[in-house]
Amino acid sequence: MALDFADRELPDGLILRVRREQDAGPLAAAYQRNRGHLAPWDPTRTEDFFTEAGQLAQIRELLALREMDAALPLVIADGDQIAGGVTLSHLVRGAFQSANIGYWLDRDHVGRGLASAAIAAVIEVARDDYGLHRIQAATMLANHASQSVLTRAGFERIGVAPNYLEIAGRWQDHVLFQRILHD
Ligand SMILES: CC(C)(COP(=O)(O)OP(=O)(O)OC[C@H]1O[C@@H](n2cnc3c(N)ncnc32)[C@H](O)[C@@H]1OP(=O)(O)O)[C@@H](O)C(=O)NCCC(=O)NCCS
């Protein structure tokens, strides 16, 4: 059963909504535009990632995971362009009821609280509609913007996980954060 998500309005008239196949072209354009902006914080991407075909394959994979109750892939839409993305992934049920959250914004949209607004909307749905207990995030030690967004959204710092993710071609230490949804 797919995880439901009703479109949400964000500041500046942007819309947070579920990713769809028609986003492949605009997403490829957004990733091309933001290649330098995202490179320090992202895994090393193949050239295929920056093409419409590569994005379509990714979207299909994520939508299949959504059908399996394992992921919620969202975009921040700015008319027919894409201004960012938020994804809940690795959603695990049973005694864990936990998911990971990842997010990014177009370089021309940072600093206006958009990521904070989008994360707040996802937290609400994860708690009230999906019955999750916890959301986890991992940021690189130097990613102060991301850490600030998480703290504002009520996440608490768990600690540093050494060599946690392969980012920009290197296994890098990360600060782990969690937000407990039902206190
Ligand atoms: C992290 C990111 C999503 C934050 O989105 P945002 O909408 O700009 O967030 P906010 O507007 O709420 O700003 C967050 C804070 O970081 C600050 N900030 C923004 N850009 C910054 C930068 N380049 N360096 C340092 N601080 C920055 C803001 O002033 C704000 O500070 P405050 O909390 O003290 O007010 C965005 O910067 C981004 O896409 N970064 C690249 C990808 C990335 O890092 N993704 C997360 C991986 S864990």
Side-chain angles (χ1 to χ4, degrees):
M1 190 190 66
L3 296 169
D4 286 335
F5 186 86
D7 295 1
R8 297 284 186 115
E9 199 163 324
L10 299 179
D12 300 341
L14 303 193
I15 302 291
L16 182 67
R17 62 159 173 78
V18 175
R19 204 177 283 214
R20 43 193 187 225
E21 291 194 357
Q22 299 90 311
D23 294 329
L27 259 175
Y31 279 122
Q32 284 165 26
R33 234 178 13 250
N34 287 285
R35 198 165 177 162
H37 165 58
L38 298 178
W41 319 112
D42 270 355
T44 302
R45 306 294 193 189
T46 61
E47 284 309 314
D48 190 50
F49 181 84
F50 297 94
T51 66
E52 182 170 346
Q55 283 304 311
L56 183 58
Q58 268 240 327
I59 291 168
R60 287 184 173 153
E61 209 171 290
L62 284 165
L63 292 178
L65 288 169
R66 180 178 175 228
E67 289 297 324
M68 293 160 55
D69 192 42
L72 178 70
L74 305 175
V75 290
I76 298 172
D78 180 13
D80 52 13
Q81 295 203 26
I82 300 297
V86 183
T87 301
L88 270 186
S89 65
H90 301 92
L91 200 150
V92 178
R93 295 295 187 180
F96 203 18
Q97 301 295 344
S98 179
N100 290 348
I101 192 165
Y103 41 85
W104 63 275
L105 266 193
D106 181 281
R107 58 175 191 220
D108 292 335
H109 287 85
V110 296
R112 287 186 225 155
L114 280 164
S116 299
I119 291 167
V122 171
I123 286 174
E124 205 181 293
V125 170
R127 183 191 56 221
D128 299 342
D129 299 346
Y130 305 162
L132 289 178
H133 170 68
R134 171 184 186 271
I135 299 178
Q136 177 171 309
T139 84
M140 277 170 44
L141 271 48
N143 199 342
H144 302 296
S146 182
Q147 290 165 25
S148 171
V149 163
L150 290 171
T151 304
R152 189 180 301 125
F155 282 72
E156 55 192 355
R157 189 185 148 115
I158 303 172
V160 174
N163 297 323
Y164 185 70
L165 287 175
E166 192 177 20
I167 297 294
R170 273 195 310 124
W171 290 97
Q172 309 218 31
D173 300 350
H174 278 70
V175 189
L176 300 188
F177 286 83
Q178 70 175 4
R179 163 86 202 245
I180 298 297
L181 303 174
H182 297 97
D183 292 322

